[in-house]
Amino acid sequence: MARFHPPTLHFAFCFILIALTTNPSLLLASADDDEFSDSNLFHQDYSPPAPPPPPPHPPSVSCTDDLGGVGSLDTTCQIVSDSNLTRDVYIAGKGNFYILPGVRFYCDTPGCSIIVNVTGNFSLGNSSSVFAGAFEVVAHNASFLNGSVVNTTALAGKPPPQTSGTPQGIDGAGGGHGGRGACCLVDQSKLPEDVWGGDAYSWSSLQRPCSFGSRGGSTSKEVDYGGLGGGIVKLVITNLLEVNGSVLAEGGDGGAKGGGGSGGSIYIKAQRMTGSGRISACGGNGYAGGGGGRVSIDVFSRHDDPSVFVHGGSSNACPENAGGAGTLYDAVPRSLIISNHNKSTDTETLLLEFPYQPLMTNVYVRNKARATVPLLWSRVQVQGQISLLCDSVLSFGLQHYASSEFELLAEELLMSDSVIKVYGALRMSVKMFLMWNSKMLIDGGGEEAVDTSLLEASNLVVLRESSVIHSNANLGVHGQGLLNLSGPGDWIQAQRLVLSLFYSIHVGPGSVLRGPLENATSDSVTPKLYCENEDCPVELLHPPEDCNVNSSLSFTLQICRVEDINIAGLIKGSIVHFHRARTIAVHSTGMISASGMGCTGGIGSGTVISNGIGSGGGHGGKGGAACINGSCVEGGISYGNEKLPCELGSGSGYDSSAGSTAGGGIIVMGSLEHPLSNMSVEGLVTADGEDSESGRPGGGSGGTILLFLRTLVLGESANLSSVGGYGSSNGAGGGGGGRIHFHWSDIPTGDVYQPIASVEGNIHARGGTGRDQGGAGEHGTVTGKACPKGLYGTFCEECPAGTYKDVIGSDGALCHDCPIEELPQRAIYIPVRGGVAEMPCPYKCISDRYHMPNCYTALEELIYTFGGPWLFGLLLIGLLILLALVLSVARMKFVGVDELPGPAPTQHGSQIDHSFPFLESLNEVLETNRAEESHSHVHRMYFMGPNTFSEPWHLPHTPPEQIKEIVYEGPFNTFVDEINAIATYQWWEGAMYIILSVLAYPLACSWQQWRRRLKLQRLREFVRSEYDHACLRSCRSRALYEGIKVAATSDLMLAYVDFFLGGDEKRTDLPPRLHQRFPMSLPFGGDGSYMAPFCLHSDNIVTSLMSQSIPPTTWYRMVAGLNAQLRLVCRGRLRVTLLPVLRWLESHANPALRDYGVRVDLAWFQATAFGYRHYGLVVYALEEDHIDGANGNEESRANSIYNENSSGHVIEEPLISQSHRSNVRRRRAYGGIVDANNVQMLIEPRDIFYPVSLMLHNTKPVGHQDLVGLVISMLLLGDFSLVLLTLLQLYSFTLVDVFLVLFILPLGILLPFPAGINALFSHGPRRSAGLARIHALWNLTSLINVVVAFVCGYVHFNSQASSKKHPFQPWNISMDDSEWWIFPAGLVVCKIFQSQLINWHVANLEIQDRSLYSNDFELFWQS
């Protein structure tokens, strides 16, 4: 059931209806006044002529007398019983008029009129009814309650005169009114829509319908079986209208032999309307259905939607052809609705002249209604929307008279499952045009006067779900927004098609734009192709700017002035032109085709042999020859201009439509004045010749693809082709290839160059293949515009690197090779933006580490700036000598001269210079400066261990025999535990030492010495102030915190505890004298390493003790000479380096000490659990009677016996042999004597630092300290210079190499220089010697960095595949990559020399009296 949905109410109507409500007289005015009022309200300048006034109403009937009611018409009149009226009735009054429930109020005479005009209310009660030919109510309020009926069905009077609503004849056709009546007559000479029954009428009273419906036709001359038409219902209500019943003006049924009557008229005017009743003016059913009537509703406010029907009646004889739909006019939104309630029909509803003053707002054709605009040169103009829905049809003109133009103007044209047919030409102008499974069919009828239709949609055109716009003439589609063909089945096709002015066009997958039609009929407008014209049409190169449809132009499909075109479907035409477009994108499913759309003949048409076999057409290439039985005919000629082609492809030349083949068409994109900005292709662009699939002709030649554009992108799946067609079997020739030309515009050059084409797909212009004996067509041409200088090829690419092009053209041969002799050794020619347009050719170095213009490294630039390697080397050496001299002068000025005046011996007995106590051992102490301390000294107890992080100092718990008389054993053990706990290092101290040993060994040595110094300071503070001396027996010592002192040697490797008497022991045997202490052990400090050589430290206590037997000067000299020999002892080579010490003791020391009854021997002491041994001297005395015979008994003196148990502790054995035990005081000591016989049996484990001793070792002094310092200064400067040059060289390789060399040992390669300068400029020989040793360590550890530099250089050299590895020529140094080893090798040599010179320098500083090494006994003791 159709339902009426009123559109939005306008504010203007609000004011109009308010005015009408406040003045009821306006509602009762005549039609003349209403029409005049409407015209004045909407358009003051339009005043239609007034119709003649209606006849006056008869006097009103009485409520009680005439109607049988109760009450009065001026108060309230109630009809309480059925009332049968026999004549027209006019009921008027100032009160109310009520028809009570269940009452029938009727006048069943056709045309009988009942008019109710009251100022009060009207009510039709429940289940009550009113039957009349015409029923009119004028009241303030009106109610049609549930079940009530106002029925004028089949009670119509006579229709207006001069109308043809009632059909003539005995066809049983339906009557017409709002829509035509149906006719079931079958006429093969007419179209279904050309056959109808009663015609439509009363279009002029569409807004206020007031006509009776027409009677249907009859199938009998004798009996009129046709149904009567519907009556008239007019409801004019001032305020509220309630419709819950039915208001009917339907046509009467004609039955099986008569046509149905047409619907009548219903006019409703009210301020408000409620209810959901039924309003119907449908046509009657019958042999053929009657047409629908007319309904007009003028209601300002509608709260419910009553059901409104105006459809045609059903046809019993032809069920598919119901009566035409009537009209429903909604006056407030001024909308016209034509709905046939989904009844299929071929019968139309006429739409005659549309009003201009005012315009209708909307027109809705829906539910299988068919509307037509039959008048020629008509205009359909509405302010809002024209909507066609649900299998509806809107047609313009008559099919057999397609010689008129029609106009359609609206805001929107919406089509869904509907059709618009145009017979003639259509000028459409809308803002939005939407099609859903709909068609617009334009039939030009072959009339030249009306051969062009224009469809303009300014905002949007969308075709979806197989929608079609079809024209067999010229068609222009214009707009300013989007044209979207959404998907499969969406077509726009015409004989000549122009799409213009859109912002964007989208051709979706499966959709088609085509011009001309594929199978055009004889009455179609056929575009003329210029097949025989050798001149290029000017519009292909210079198209007009107006984008109008012009039948004189050669285009068959043109897209003009469109910004963006996206093609995922098909665009096909004979001459396809894109003009003034910005971008075109052909997607992978898209295709632009002119294949087979060219000429069947043409300039290069093939030739046909007598038996029908033909050669191929020619174009870009000559057509293939046709051969059969040895008889051949040449193919079509090649024609056209390859530099600017614009010709159609030629066909086989065989005129028979069944067997002819056509050449390819033309595709032109852009123009000379307006090229495309960008074209992107992932699909197909083809202008191929047609293949011969039947008959015997040759293949058509390829057409033309002419592209005026700026940039092009061809994807992998893209294909541009203008290939010739295949020839048919039996010897036909293939078509020649076509022409493809890229006419580039504004080709960027120089620094602003950008690639204008990215081509990954295929471009083909090959000839078609012939079959059997037929020849293949020649290939066509693919050309491009002549390229500027520096660019070449079809796509104007940059000339390859190493070439240049200084002329205009596209041939690749114009790119000439650049001369190789102008290229530096480490350079390569490079491509530049825009190509190389002139000499010289640009080049670059093969790596960023080389610098233009000669591609030198930074180092080479420095070297060649000063004249080359040799001159640079000489300048560098001279500069180093000069700087070294400056450093030496500065050193002598600020530091002084380290070397003493000379090695002249001192006079015997003279005072000795004690400024070098570590050699003379006169003052090498940390405390105990008072000589009288020796008088109370009891015993010196040495710490075990070398004072390292892994083996710290420690004291044994058992007190030695010498102090058991002065200490308590228990407290002594406690004291030892506390001392050992303090002497132990923390774990993190050792961890830090290990880390520093790996990263920077000199820093590790400094760290160790610092921690040793802190450890000694802590021990001394503990003994001096924290410990209560509880282990001592002396009360005085415990009270004064005296009696125990801790000291250590200067190298902090040997520490000892001295025990003193407190003064209150009252022991005469204490302290013991020197001879009571013999044999006495004197361990060496140091460990024999480079940083801590062996050294005998003789402090005041030892010196005072020894002075009891030996004069101090003799003892001093013996200690100095022994220390000089001990410097040369090297750990790891003790078996070799201790021999000179043993010989010196026998040759210099013991002979001099024999005179004093004392002898010294080399020994080792205190083997720790880790195997560490202290070495030192054992001093013992000889008896007086054996002093003279000692020389003869040297071979039988004391021997050492070594026996070790399983725990590793040395067993105590007497140090003196049995033959001398009677002469020597017997004492025991731990360890053993070392002499020439057993020195080779010493156990000396070698650590990982043993190889270091090969470069760093203590030597004898060489003198010439100033010269040595000068050479060291030179080597320091040279070392630093070579380091910088090496880093500069590595930087030319890669920055990573620089970081590796610098940080493999952090800054190890740079620190030797500041360390050396610090050593040279330090004050004092002892400090200078210590810093020089640190400098030596830095110098040695930096070799690891140098090795890394070697590795980096070697790796770089071997990784350069293009490096020229020249043979080694020592006198021809070019400083290229093959000389990478020079600076690292120079560093190694420099550091080796530095090591030796530093050894000499340290020896000169530490041994300034070179007579200590004298082999002459007398000279040694006299110095």
Side-chain angles (χ1 to χ4, degrees):
M1 180 181 295
R3 301 184 67 85
F4 179 70
H5 301 276
T8 306
L9 300 177
H10 299 285
F11 287 108
F13 265 87
C14 295
F15 298 104
I16 296 169
L17 293 178
I18 291 173
L20 294 175
T21 304
T22 55
N23 191 0
S25 63
L26 293 175
L27 296 173
L28 302 177
S30 65
D32 301 338
D33 296 336
D34 287 339
E35 291 178 3
F36 182 79
S37 299
D38 287 344
S39 64
N40 286 332
L41 286 172
F42 291 101
H43 295 279
Q44 298 295 332
D45 59 344
Y46 177 70
S47 300
H57 293 294
S60 173
V61 297
S62 171
C63 176
T64 57
D65 297 336
D66 298 321
L67 301 178
V70 177
S72 171
L73 291 174
D74 291 329
T75 56
T76 298
C77 177
Q78 297 181 355
I79 306 300
V80 297
S81 61
D82 294 347
S83 178
N84 186 7
L85 305 178
T86 58
R87 61 180 178 84
D88 295 343
V89 176
Y90 178 70
I91 302 171
K94 298 181 180 179
N96 305 316
F97 187 76
Y98 299 146
I99 300 177
L100 298 185
V103 175
R104 297 179 70 247
F105 191 78
Y106 60 95
C107 177
D108 54 5
T109 303
C112 178
S113 172
I114 298 176
I115 300 175
V116 180
N117 187 352
V118 294
T119 58
N121 301 326
F122 173 82
S123 175
L124 185 61
N126 294 332
S127 301
S128 59
S129 60
V130 175
F131 290 89
F135 180 72
E136 178 178 355
V137 175
V138 178
H140 183 68
N141 296 308
S143 300
F144 297 88
L145 302 181
N146 292 334
S148 64
V149 177
V150 175
N151 195 347
T152 63
T153 300
L155 293 175
K158 294 182 179 180
Q162 299 180 352
T163 60
S164 55
T166 300
Q168 303 298 320
I170 55 174
D171 298 329
H177 182 197
R180 285 172 169 170
C183 180
C184 293
L185 177 65
V186 178
D187 188 348
Q188 299 296 336
S189 62
K190 296 181 180 180
L191 296 175
E193 56 266 27
D194 291 339
V195 179
W196 64 86
D199 211 344
Y201 55 90
S202 297
W203 171 263
S204 60
S205 61
L206 177 72
Q207 300 177 7
R208 299 173 182 270
C210 56
S211 299
F212 290 110
S214 298
R215 188 184 187 97
S218 177
T219 58
S220 173
K221 292 182 179 181
E222 292 78 12
V223 181
D224 191 355
Y225 294 108
L228 289 175
I232 301 172
V233 178
K234 183 176 181 181
L235 305 177
V236 180
I237 309 303
T238 305
N239 187 27
L240 174 64
L241 172 63
E242 179 183 357
V243 180
N244 284 313
S246 299
V247 179
L248 306 177
E250 298 177 348
D253 293 340
K257 297 182 179 181
S262 64
S265 299
I266 299 176
Y267 174 65
I268 298 175
K269 182 178 179 66
Q271 178 70 17
R272 293 185 299 138
M273 184 170 71
T274 63
S276 56
R278 173 186 170 93
I279 300 173
S280 176
C282 300
N285 303 325
Y287 184 84
R294 298 189 187 274
V295 177
S296 176
I297 299 177
D298 187 0
V299 176
F300 181 79
S301 175
R302 194 177 310 174
H303 298 281
D304 300 304
D305 288 330
S307 302
V308 182
F309 301 95
V310 290
H311 57 79
S314 300
S315 300
N316 298 328
C318 48
E320 74 284 352
N321 185 16
T327 61
L328 169 60
Y329 182 75
D330 193 349
V332 174
R334 300 199 304 278
S335 297
L336 175 62
I337 298 97
I338 303 170
S339 173
N340 211 34
H341 195 48
N342 290 323
K343 292 179 177 291
S344 61
T345 182
D346 294 326
T347 308
E348 297 172 330
T349 300
L350 301 184
L351 305 180
L352 303 178
E353 287 191 29
F354 277 70
Y356 296 103
Q357 307 290 342
L359 294 173
M360 286 188 185
T361 302
N362 305 305
V363 175
Y364 304 105
V365 183
R366 59 181 62 164
N367 300 327
K368 297 186 178 181
R370 296 177 65 95
T372 183
V373 181
L375 301 181
L376 303 182
W377 309 95
S378 294
R379 168 187 281 185
V380 177
Q381 183 175 4
V382 297
Q383 284 185 333
Q385 180 184 111
I386 297 178
S387 174
L388 282 76
L389 307 175
C390 302
D391 295 323
S392 60
V393 179
L394 175 63
S395 60
F396 294 85
L398 304 176
Q399 181 179 14
H400 303 295
Y401 303 95
S403 58
S404 176
E405 289 188 355
F406 300 91
E407 290 185 278
L408 189 153
L409 295 88
E411 288 289 311
E412 299 175 357
L413 175 57
L414 309 180
M415 299 177 65
S416 175
D417 301 301
S418 56
V419 178
I420 291 180
K421 296 181 179 180
V422 180
Y423 301 107
L426 177 65
R427 300 287 192 272
M428 183 187 80
S429 178
V430 297
K431 290 184 178 179
M432 187 180 297
F433 182 21
L434 307 179
M435 298 180 68
W436 180 286
N437 192 26
S438 302
K439 296 180 180 180
M440 177 180 283
L441 307 176
I442 302 175
D443 183 2
E447 293 287 340
E448 294 184 359
V450 291
D451 62 354
T452 301
S453 295
L454 298 176
L455 308 180
E456 180 178 353
S458 57
N459 291 345
L460 183 65
V461 179
V462 178
L463 281 70
R464 300 198 65 176
E465 299 297 326
S466 301
S467 297
V468 175
I469 299 176
H470 174 95
S471 174
N472 62 0
N474 301 330
L475 176 63
V477 182
H478 309 300
Q480 299 176 4
L482 171 67
L483 170 59
N484 184 11
L485 280 70
S486 303
D490 296 329
W491 286 48
I492 300 179
Q493 54 183 351
Q495 285 293 85
R496 179 179 279 107
L497 176 62
V498 177
L499 309 176
S500 62
L501 305 179
F502 288 98
Y503 181 81
S504 177
I505 292 179
H506 175 72
V507 183
S511 56
V512 178
L513 294 176
R514 186 183 177 99
L517 302 177
E518 185 172 4
N519 295 312
T521 59
S522 59
D523 59 349
S524 299
V525 177
T526 304
K528 183 178 180 181
L529 302 179
Y530 59 101
C531 293
E532 303 299 331
N533 190 357
E534 296 185 5
D535 297 329
C536 180
V538 66
E539 63 267 15
L540 291 181
L541 305 179
H542 305 280
E545 299 291 329
D546 53 12
C547 297
N548 293 327
V549 180
N550 190 341
S551 58
S552 65
L553 301 179
S554 58
F555 309 127
T556 63
L557 194 157
Q558 185 184 38
I559 298 178
C560 180
R561 289 180 178 265
V562 177
E563 291 289 317
D564 302 314
I565 304 171
N566 294 288
I567 304 168
L570 172 64
I571 295 180
K572 188 167 185 178
S574 295
I575 302 178
V576 181
H577 184 236
F578 296 84
H579 178 44
R580 298 201 69 168
R582 186 180 66 176
T583 63
I584 297 176
V586 183
H587 301 281
S588 58
T589 59
M591 181 178 183
I592 302 175
S593 176
S595 298
M597 301 294 288
C599 304
T600 55
I603 301 173
S605 62
T607 304
V608 181
I609 306 178
S610 57
N611 57 6
I613 297 176
S615 59
H619 181 201
K622 186 178 179 181
C627 295
I628 184 172
N629 298 327
S631 177
C632 297
V633 63
E634 293 294 326
I637 63 172
S638 173
Y639 60 94
N641 180 8
E642 67 175 8
K643 295 183 179 180
L644 202 62
C646 54
E647 298 85 11
L648 291 161
S650 298
S652 62
Y654 192 49
D655 294 333
S656 173
S657 59
S660 62
T661 57
I666 299 176
I667 299 175
V668 181
M669 297 188 181
S671 62
L672 287 171
E673 294 82 5
H674 303 287
L676 293 179
S677 295
N678 178 59
M679 180 176 179
S680 174
V681 182
E682 293 286 345
L684 306 178
V685 178
T686 63
D688 301 337
E690 186 178 7
D691 296 333
S692 178
E693 298 180 356
S694 63
R696 299 179 179 179
S701 64
T704 297
I705 298 178
L706 178 57
L707 307 178
F708 298 93
L709 70 168
R710 290 188 173 91
T711 59
L712 172 68
V713 178
L714 289 184
E716 293 182 358
S717 58
N719 191 0
L720 266 67
S721 66
S722 179
V723 303
Y726 297 137
S728 63
S729 58
N730 301 325
R739 297 190 187 276
I740 300 176
H741 180 72
F742 301 91
H743 199 85
W744 308 107
S745 177
D746 300 330
I747 301 174
T749 58
D751 293 338
V752 298
Y753 174 79
Q754 293 286 347
I756 58 177
S758 173
V759 180
E760 298 179 2
N762 301 314
I763 301 176
H764 298 297
R766 61 178 181 271
T769 303
R771 302 185 184 179
D772 293 340
Q773 301 178 17
E778 294 180 355
H779 295 323
T781 59
V782 178
T783 59
K785 182 181 178 181
C787 301
K789 297 178 181 180
L791 306 177
Y792 81 104
T794 303
F795 306 107
C796 291
E797 301 169 295
E798 298 163 335
C799 283
T803 62
Y804 70 96
K805 174 173 169 285
D806 54 359
V807 295
I808 297 176
S810 299
D811 192 352
L814 298 176
C815 295
H816 305 290
D817 292 333
C818 299
I820 194 64
E821 60 273 7
E822 297 182 3
L823 188 67
Q825 181 182 359
R826 294 195 191 101
I828 56 173
Y829 284 118
I830 58 171
V832 297
R833 198 169 185 177
V836 181
E838 59 184 1
M839 291 286 291
C841 298
Y843 62 87
K844 71 172 184 178
C845 301
I846 59 177
S847 174
D848 293 337
R849 63 180 180 269
Y850 304 121
H851 304 286
M852 297 291 286
N854 297 316
C855 292
Y856 288 153
T857 64
L859 177 60
E860 290 173 338
E861 284 188 334
L862 176 64
I863 291 174
Y864 284 103
T865 300
F866 292 96
W870 287 110
L871 185 56
F872 176 79
L874 293 175
L875 290 175
L876 180 61
I877 293 173
L879 180 62
L880 293 178
I881 294 173
L882 178 61
L883 291 176
L885 290 172
V886 172
L887 281 177
S888 297
V889 172
R891 178 170 172 268
M892 287 186 292
K893 181 176 180 180
F894 293 105
V895 178
V897 181
D898 294 330
E899 187 174 11
L900 293 179
T906 59
Q907 297 296 325
H908 181 71
S910 65
Q911 183 66 31
I912 299 176
D913 185 5
H914 302 311
S915 63
F916 304 99
F918 54 93
L919 296 179
E920 306 272 332
S921 296
L922 299 177
N923 297 311
E924 180 74 25
V925 291
L926 298 175
E927 55 180 271
T928 67
N929 294 319
R930 294 174 298 173
E932 59 272 10
E933 286 183 347
S934 62
H935 300 297
S936 60
H937 184 269
V938 176
H939 181 67
R940 173 167 289 179
M941 185 177 181
Y942 289 95
F943 282 84
M944 300 179 67
N947 193 21
T948 61
F949 297 107
S950 60
E951 192 173 359
W953 284 328
H954 61 279
L955 291 174
H957 286 81
T958 303
E961 294 292 336
Q962 291 86 344
I963 63 172
K964 283 185 177 182
E965 299 296 331
I966 64 172
V967 299
Y968 297 108
E969 186 170 358
F972 177 80
N973 291 335
T974 302
F975 168 72
V976 169
D977 290 337
E978 293 178 351
I979 285 291
N980 290 345
I982 295 174
T984 303
Y985 290 97
Q986 300 294 324
W987 67 269
W988 58 269
E989 295 175 297
M992 180 62 70
Y993 176 76
I994 294 174
I995 294 173
L996 292 176
S997 296
V998 174
L999 298 179
Y1001 183 71
L1003 292 180
C1005 294
S1006 299
W1007 167 264
Q1008 187 178 50
Q1009 288 299 102
W1010 179 44
R1011 303 313 299 176
R1012 284 172 171 173
R1013 190 174 297 109
L1014 293 178
K1015 189 64 64 178
L1016 176 62
Q1017 181 181 355
R1018 179 72 184 93
L1019 288 171
R1020 295 177 65 187
E1021 288 177 356
F1022 172 76
V1023 173
R1024 182 184 299 121
S1025 58
E1026 297 180 19
Y1027 181 58
D1028 59 359
H1029 294 64
C1031 67
L1032 297 178
R1033 295 179 183 271
S1034 171
C1035 296
R1036 185 174 181 274
S1037 298
R1038 291 198 303 269
L1040 299 177
Y1041 279 27
E1042 294 180 352
I1044 301 176
K1045 291 187 178 180
V1046 177
T1049 58
S1050 60
D1051 53 30
L1052 302 177
M1053 294 191 69
L1054 179 65
Y1056 47 84
V1057 180
D1058 287 319
F1059 291 90
F1060 300 91
L1061 292 176
D1064 56 348
E1065 288 86 351
K1066 297 180 180 181
R1067 294 284 300 272
T1068 59
D1069 57 337
L1070 295 178
R1073 301 293 293 170
L1074 177 62
H1075 286 273
Q1076 293 175 331
R1077 300 175 189 257
F1078 285 161
M1080 186 171 65
S1081 301
L1082 297 177
F1084 298 146
D1087 59 354
S1089 64
Y1090 178 73
M1091 297 299 295
F1094 287 129
C1095 180
L1096 176 62
H1097 295 268
S1098 181
D1099 58 359
N1100 288 343
I1101 293 177
V1102 174
T1103 303
S1104 297
L1105 290 175
M1106 297 306 299
S1107 65
Q1108 297 177 20
S1109 297
I1110 305 172
T1113 56
T1114 303
W1115 178 251
Y1116 294 154
R1117 188 63 177 175
M1118 189 278 295
V1119 171
L1122 177 61
N1123 286 339
Q1125 297 298 325
L1126 289 176
R1127 286 187 72 260
L1128 306 180
V1129 176
C1130 180
R1131 184 178 63 184
R1133 294 189 295 163
L1134 295 179
R1135 299 170 185 173
V1136 177
T1137 54
L1138 283 177
L1139 287 175
V1141 178
L1142 293 173
R1143 287 194 294 267
W1144 186 88
L1145 288 175
E1146 296 302 327
S1147 61
H1148 288 70
N1150 285 325
L1153 297 178
R1154 190 182 306 116
D1155 296 336
Y1156 308 105
V1158 178
R1159 179 179 176 83
V1160 294
D1161 279 325
L1162 186 65
W1164 60 270
F1165 314 98
Q1166 295 178 310
T1168 64
F1170 293 94
Y1172 179 78
R1173 296 176 177 179
H1174 283 288
Y1175 290 88
L1177 292 181
V1178 174
V1179 184
Y1180 53 90
L1182 298 176
E1183 295 295 336
E1184 293 294 335
D1185 55 348
H1186 291 281
I1187 294 176
D1188 294 335
N1191 289 335
N1193 297 324
E1194 289 297 329
E1195 298 296 332
S1196 59
R1197 68 176 184 82
N1199 292 314
S1200 177
I1201 302 174
Y1202 303 88
N1203 291 312
E1204 296 188 9
N1205 59 16
S1206 59
S1207 63
H1209 294 285
V1210 178
I1211 302 174
E1212 292 187 20
E1213 292 291 342
L1215 291 173
I1216 309 301
S1217 63
Q1218 185 65 29
S1219 60
H1220 292 86
R1221 288 183 183 178
S1222 59
N1223 301 324
V1224 181
R1225 186 181 303 272
R1226 297 179 60 185
R1227 295 294 177 94
R1228 293 180 180 269
Y1230 292 102
I1233 297 297
V1234 179
D1235 57 17
N1237 297 324
N1238 58 29
V1239 70
Q1240 299 300 325
M1241 300 175 61
L1242 289 177
I1243 300 174
E1244 48 175 346
R1246 294 181 179 179
D1247 55 18
I1248 59 174
F1249 297 104
Y1250 170 73
V1252 175
S1253 63
L1254 300 178
M1255 289 184 61
L1256 300 182
H1257 54 271
N1258 294 300
T1259 65
K1260 294 180 181 181
V1262 296
H1264 310 288
Q1265 180 66 5
D1266 292 337
L1267 179 60
V1268 172
L1270 176 62
V1271 176
I1272 291 177
S1273 300
M1274 292 177 57
L1275 291 176
L1276 268 177
L1277 294 172
D1279 179 278
F1280 189 67
S1281 301
L1282 289 174
V1283 167
L1284 295 181
L1285 293 175
T1286 301
L1287 292 177
L1288 193 60
Q1289 184 184 49
L1290 292 175
Y1291 177 75
S1292 68
F1293 297 164
T1294 173
L1295 190 60
V1296 176
D1297 292 344
V1298 177
F1299 278 97
L1300 282 175
V1301 172
L1302 282 176
F1303 298 107
I1304 190 69
L1305 292 182
L1307 301 179
I1309 199 170
L1310 295 175
L1311 291 177
F1313 178 74
I1317 294 297
N1318 187 31
L1320 287 177
F1321 281 84
S1322 61
H1323 291 272
R1326 180 178 178 182
R1327 175 176 173 79
S1328 296
L1331 294 176
R1333 293 180 188 274
I1334 296 295
H1335 170 221
L1337 286 181
W1338 280 116
N1339 185 64
L1340 183 67
T1341 56
S1342 65
L1343 284 175
I1344 298 177
N1345 301 74
V1346 177
V1347 171
V1348 174
F1350 262 106
V1351 174
C1352 292
Y1354 181 78
V1355 171
H1356 164 75
F1357 177 67
N1358 285 277
S1359 64
Q1360 300 298 316
S1362 61
S1363 297
K1364 298 180 181 179
K1365 300 180 181 180
H1366 302 288
F1368 176 69
Q1369 298 179 6
W1371 300 107
N1372 185 17
I1373 300 177
S1374 61
M1375 296 311 297
D1376 59 9
D1377 287 347
S1378 60
E1379 277 76 35
W1380 60 269
W1381 53 270
I1382 291 180
F1383 293 122
L1387 270 176
V1388 172
V1389 174
C1390 182
K1391 291 183 180 298
I1392 291 174
F1393 280 110
Q1394 277 191 86
S1395 299
Q1396 184 59 40
L1397 287 170
I1398 293 171
N1399 294 338
W1400 292 344
H1401 176 66
V1402 172
N1404 286 339
L1405 290 174
E1406 294 182 346
I1407 308 296
Q1408 297 186 359
D1409 182 4
R1410 290 196 296 275
S1411 64
L1412 293 175
Y1413 289 102
S1414 174
N1415 293 326
D1416 188 344
F1417 178 84
E1418 296 298 332
L1419 178 61
F1420 172 80
W1421 286 106
Q1422 290 176 5
S1423 299

